[in-house]
Amino acid sequence: MSSENIANAKIIILHLVSDAPGLTYHMLMDKCLESLYMDYFTFSQGYNELIAANLLEKVSESDGTDQVTSDSSEDIIFITEAGRAVLDDIKETLNQNTVNFLMKAKEDLQNQVSDRNSIKANIRTVDDVFYAVLSINDDNGPVFSTSIRCEDKESCTKLCNSWKQNAHEAFRAFNDLLK
């Protein structure tokens, strides 16, 4: 891997994360590999160097009780202020083909992040009783929201994890039952 390839990969990664804050590691990796500007090894090296240099920050989600959820193994990626400053200084070095790719990728990634963020699941405890609080949201607020009492924290966590994976299908099935 040439240092020029790594440098270009870093610029593309910083740009994508800046354009779509809150994307997951896998969303970022898939979009970078789709670009054909880098392979997995170039992506990995560039990504790891950006994290090590504190130009990117990765955060894991929790379910509201500091217990990780099924998608907490997916790190959420944000650009730091230092990363934004570096990007502002070097983004003019991109060629027009790369700029065109980044404009399309921005829209795709923002839609993916928006869809992922529309589904919420967390655990609420009231008087030692556990509740799974589940919702699907859009720009106007909750489309669907419910709270389900669980026998214990573990079953609540399982329910939250399942909701994160199947929310849209579960909502459609629930809605169909009421028709």
Side-chain angles (χ1 to χ4, degrees):
M1 288 180 268
S2 74
S3 61
E4 184 179 333
N5 288 346
I6 297 297
N8 286 334
K10 287 179 183 180
I11 295 169
I12 290 169
I13 292 168
L14 284 172
H15 213 296
L16 291 173
V17 175
S18 175
D19 287 345
L23 76 157
T24 67
Y25 170 84
H26 286 99
M27 287 177 195
L28 176 62
M29 179 185 68
D30 290 346
K31 192 53 74 178
C32 285
L33 297 181
E34 177 185 304
S35 74
L36 301 178
Y37 289 108
M38 64 190 87
D39 61 18
Y40 173 77
F41 299 105
T42 305
F43 166 77
S44 293
Q45 183 175 344
Y47 173 79
N48 288 329
E49 288 178 11
L50 290 168
I51 293 289
N54 294 317
L55 300 179
L56 292 180
E57 177 182 20
K58 58 183 178 177
V59 178
S60 292
E61 290 184 314
S62 78
D63 63 11
T65 63
D66 295 326
Q67 183 169 342
V68 294
T69 60
S70 62
D71 56 353
S72 293
S73 60
E74 283 253 52
D75 290 324
I76 309 300
I77 313 300
F78 296 96
I79 191 168
T80 63
E81 287 302 316
R84 192 169 311 287
V86 167
L87 180 60
D88 287 343
D89 289 342
I90 60 176
K91 69 180 171 184
E92 300 304 319
T93 65
L94 295 171
N95 66 45
Q96 190 58 46
N97 288 337
T98 305
V99 170
N100 293 341
F101 164 76
L102 289 169
M103 287 174 32
K104 171 81 171 97
K106 175 181 180 177
E107 184 179 332
D108 291 346
L109 288 172
Q110 286 176 337
N111 288 337
Q112 288 179 37
V113 169
S114 177
D115 187 50
R116 184 179 187 281
N117 290 340
S118 72
I119 300 168
K120 298 291 182 198
N122 59 57
I123 298 173
R124 185 179 44 144
T125 308
V126 177
D127 297 328
D128 295 328
V129 177
F130 294 98
Y131 295 89
V133 181
L134 314 172
S135 66
I136 298 176
N137 306 286
D138 65 13
D139 293 340
N140 298 319
V143 173
F144 175 82
S145 181
T146 190
S147 181
I148 301 172
R149 186 179 65 226
C150 301
E151 291 188 26
D152 54 30
K153 186 175 177 180
E154 183 178 298
S155 60
C156 230
T157 299
K158 283 183 179 180
L159 188 59
C160 287
N161 292 342
S162 181
W163 179 255
K164 285 280 201 170
Q165 301 300 315
N166 304 301
H168 292 292
E169 295 83 10
F171 175 63
R172 273 193 293 279
F174 177 77
N175 216 12
D176 289 345
L177 283 172
L178 299 177
K179 290 182 180 179

